[in-house]
Amino acid sequence: MHALMVIRTYLKLGVLNVVQYRANFLFDLLSVGVYLTTSLLSLAVIFGQTQTLRGWTRDQLIALVGIQILVGGLNGLVIRPSMQQLMENIRLGTLDFMLTKPADSQLLASVQQVNIGSIAEVVVGLAVILTALARLGTEVGADGALLFLVMLVAGATIVYCFLLALSTCAFWFVRIQNILVIFQATFNEAGRWPITIYPGWLRATLTFLIPVAFAVTVPAESLTGRLTTLTTLATLALALGFVAASRWFWRVGLRHYTGASA
Amino acid sequence: MATLPVAEQPVAEFERLSLSALLEFYGAKFRTELALQFAYRGALAIWLLSLVSQPLISLVVWTTVAETNGGSAGGFTAGEYAAYFVILMVVNQLTFSWHMWEFEWRVRTGFFSPVLLRPLHPVHNDIIENLTFKALTLVALLPIAVTLGFAFDARFAPSLADVVAFGPALVLAMALRFLVEWTVALAAFWMTRTMAVNQVFGVLSFFLSGLIAPLALFPAPVQVAAAILPFRWSVAFPVELAQGQLSGVEILLGLLAQVIWIVLAVVLLRLVWRHGVRRYSAVGA
């Protein structure tokens, strides 16, 4: 299949591009270490004062932190660096080169950059999830694991579409690279806690929280046995809706692209 | 003078500028900086969002903790937590600086080369940039903080003395946090990658400045560390003061600690700057 071949080639090139800078990997590892320490210390301070947080125990929240690091890592591998590059290309007009290539532009834009360092996050995230599950003593059967995986993929898809839509705004506003920084900050800060602790009006105001909810809280709910059938179906429907909407928005944005000479 | 290579620039030259010339520079630079930053309103709004969201998330977490435990936890009621973090939001915005994250780029790209040729210490430029950012974002942040205070039913009762002392404590905290972070930023003269230093400093600051939780909730050794280091005095102290948590003696001692740390920070900044700038090799210039 043509699209798959394009993805494979691009990812291979991307990997070759970044393995030149091996020392960076150590810094990425340090970053995840610092982040994990902050999260665990925050939990320690909070659970020094209470036994549960809106029904979540400390170990359940550790599992949630693991999921957050994992999802952040998955996005950081290809999606986030590619979106950053995409905004840069739109600003500089170098998107021209991508549009002239005989493949789908959204696909090319989404896989153009790879950041291997995020593997550190993926590994640490998985380790934290497994540790938390061991401490919780939860038996996750084959169907439970499958449900978790499906929810994880749905969540990651929603985050991808959301980031694509944010980046697409660059066709109109040009200088908005900060928006990805802010999304990342919200994801790191707000994603540490189950979305259910935020009051409803706040969830509605901070739209950034919506993808965080589906990417982190819903998979965590599936692991800790609090996922309802309704939430499962809503998540899947929303993922599909996001895919269609972001695709449509990308096409609209592309029509507003003014090119290199502008 | 301007033809000398950067390394041979006499650093002490900076101090010969008269106060009136410095004030004139501040006035003119402030006006241009205001226009410049206002031109990028979108970027300002985005930074504002992150200055609001972080304390807001802590606020939500801690009021939830208090409510789960029947109204109070660790000696604070839900309303007192709300007050702490709403005041913190304002104090954090007013003491916030970002130069730590810019210095690596400044050294790497040779940004300092033309700056060092000017007869004025570069710190003045950053002070004005910083104050302009704070003035512009405060206009939007204050109404947000007040609204959140009402929405979460913030409870605090400062005495008249607290209100009077809050002004100086806040200004000293602004000066202290800026000076300390600017000095830490100078690490970029010795290292090509300052990410590690910045991140470790960031985590220390996150816990010891009282950004994640009121310092009273931490174990005693952590509280002592926060009080010996500049962290408590650069953020948490004015917040505790405005909340009415502190006695008269504690307030006076706090102000004294702030002054002592500011003097130390100025000495340290000049020392580190003097050594650091000699290592600057103007890469990319």
Side-chain angles (χ1 to χ4, degrees):
Chain A
M1 209 171 130
H2 184 58
L4 282 178
M5 213 175 69
V6 170
I7 294 179
R8 228 191 67 198
T9 318
Y10 262 67
L11 292 187
K12 208 173 96 189
L13 277 174
V15 170
L16 287 177
N17 230 334
V18 285
V19 286
Q20 304 173 64
Y21 310 104
R22 272 173 296 251
N24 260 347
F25 189 73
L26 283 179
F27 285 102
D28 290 323
L29 211 58
L30 181 98
S31 278
V32 192
V34 167
Y35 183 72
L36 182 62
T37 316
T38 314
S39 293
L40 294 182
L41 282 177
S42 305
L43 288 181
V45 176
I46 282 158
F47 282 92
Q49 308 297 333
T50 183
Q51 291 301 311
T52 61
L53 188 68
R54 262 302 117 88
W56 293 69
T57 65
R58 179 202 288 229
D59 288 330
Q60 288 175 338
L61 284 183
I62 293 178
L64 186 124
V65 166
I67 293 168
Q68 189 213 7
I69 295 176
L70 174 68
V71 174
L74 290 175
N75 266 300
L77 269 179
V78 184
I79 310 291
R80 217 185 318 133
S82 295
M83 290 302 133
Q84 249 154 21
Q85 189 59 43
L86 169 65
M87 286 187 164
E88 190 68 2
N89 286 342
I90 293 173
R91 190 172 68 85
L92 296 176
T94 40
L95 190 72
D96 291 10
F97 304 122
M98 189 169 287
L99 295 179
T100 52
K101 287 184 180 128
D104 184 72
S105 59
Q106 184 191 333
L107 180 75
L108 290 181
S110 306
V111 296
Q112 58 182 322
Q113 196 98 36
V114 176
N115 173 26
I116 294 293
S118 290
I119 287 188
E121 287 173 64
V122 174
V123 173
V124 171
L126 280 174
V128 173
I129 297 173
L130 290 177
T131 314
L133 284 181
R135 284 173 59 120
L136 283 167
T138 333
E139 281 294 319
V140 183
D143 51 341
L146 187 70
L147 179 67
F148 172 65
L149 211 63
V150 171
M151 287 300 105
L152 207 58
V153 171
T157 310
I158 291 172
V159 172
Y160 160 66
C161 296
F162 190 74
L163 286 180
L164 179 70
L166 287 184
S167 311
T168 305
C169 292
F171 283 118
W172 288 273
F173 300 109
V174 187
R175 267 189 74 141
I176 49 161
Q177 289 102 320
N178 281 346
I179 209 161
L180 290 185
V181 178
I182 297 310
F183 173 78
Q184 198 52 33
T186 315
F187 184 83
N188 286 346
E189 292 296 332
R192 244 176 244 181
W193 313 103
I195 204 80
T196 40
I197 71 165
Y198 301 104
W201 59 268
L202 191 61
R203 263 177 274 169
T205 321
L206 289 176
T207 26
F208 282 173
L209 284 181
I210 293 164
V212 174
F214 287 99
V216 182
T217 308
V218 169
E221 284 179 339
S222 92
L223 267 194
T224 52
R226 45 186 101 216
L227 192 64
T228 59
T229 320
L230 186 68
T231 317
T232 314
L233 293 176
T235 307
L236 292 174
L238 195 75
L240 289 176
F242 260 70
V243 169
S246 63
R247 174 91 184 152
W248 168 81
F249 190 51
W250 167 258
R251 287 172 175 256
V252 174
L254 212 51
R255 260 180 258 137
H256 281 82
Y257 177 58
T258 42
S261 54
Chain B
M1 188 56 237
T3 52
L4 273 180
V6 171
E8 288 168 39
Q9 284 275 317
V11 179
E13 194 72 15
F14 287 139
E15 284 132 43
R16 291 206 194 139
L17 213 67
S18 72
L19 188 66
S20 65
L22 195 63
L23 281 178
E24 200 183 326
F25 171 77
Y26 265 66
K29 179 71 187 165
F30 188 70
R31 279 190 297 277
T32 46
E33 192 64 34
L34 207 60
L36 184 76
Q37 291 195 19
F38 195 64
Y40 294 104
R41 288 176 292 266
L44 280 184
I46 287 171
W47 287 121
L48 189 70
L49 190 65
S50 79
L51 284 170
V52 170
S53 69
Q54 200 210 6
L56 181 56
I57 289 162
S58 297
L59 188 161
V60 170
V61 170
W62 281 106
T63 46
T64 310
V65 170
E67 279 160 15
T68 323
N69 286 281
S72 84
F76 292 95
T77 64
E80 282 166 347
Y81 276 118
Y84 179 87
F85 286 108
V86 166
I87 301 169
L88 180 80
M89 189 180 287
V90 179
V91 172
N92 181 50
Q93 187 265 348
L94 284 174
T95 54
F96 165 81
S97 88
W98 60 86
H99 299 96
M100 259 162 65
W101 305 96
E102 249 181 27
F103 260 66
E104 182 189 313
W105 172 84
R106 286 178 171 188
V107 171
R108 189 158 40 83
T109 56
F111 163 92
F112 268 127
S113 304
V115 175
L116 287 173
L117 292 174
R118 292 178 198 152
L120 191 67
H121 198 294
V123 75
H124 294 296
N125 180 62
D126 289 356
I127 292 174
I128 299 163
E129 253 185 30
N130 196 259
L131 288 177
T132 313
F133 173 83
K134 286 166 180 172
L136 282 174
T137 44
L138 187 67
V139 176
L141 187 104
L142 263 186
I144 296 176
V146 172
T147 313
L148 287 173
F150 280 111
F152 284 96
D153 199 16
R155 291 291 154 97
F156 63 119
S159 67
L160 188 65
D162 293 334
V163 176
V164 174
F166 181 70
L170 183 64
V171 173
L172 290 173
M174 283 168 76
L176 179 58
R177 188 167 170 193
F178 181 88
L179 288 168
V180 169
E181 292 187 359
W182 211 80
T183 312
V184 173
L186 295 178
F189 283 126
W190 284 270
M191 303 177 194
T192 29
R193 292 285 307 257
T194 55
M195 265 290 267
V197 175
N198 291 350
Q199 281 190 331
V200 171
F201 184 86
V203 173
L204 281 179
S205 172
F206 188 59
F207 285 96
L208 297 180
S209 310
L211 286 169
I212 171 77
L215 286 172
L217 298 179
F218 285 94
V222 179
Q223 291 192 35
V224 172
I228 294 175
L229 295 168
F231 295 110
R232 182 179 174 201
W233 313 116
S234 44
V235 185
F237 173 62
V239 183
E240 293 162 5
L241 207 167
Q243 246 196 320
Q245 280 186 43
L246 304 176
S247 70
V249 181
E250 283 173 316
I251 294 173
L252 288 177
L253 282 177
L255 291 171
L256 186 69
Q258 285 185 312
V259 172
I260 292 173
W261 256 110
I262 287 176
V263 173
L264 273 176
V266 170
V267 171
L268 209 63
L269 187 151
R270 291 167 68 110
L271 200 73
V272 178
W273 171 262
R274 200 160 300 174
H275 284 88
V277 82
R278 299 210 186 283
R279 295 188 52 101
Y280 177 63
S281 51
V283 192

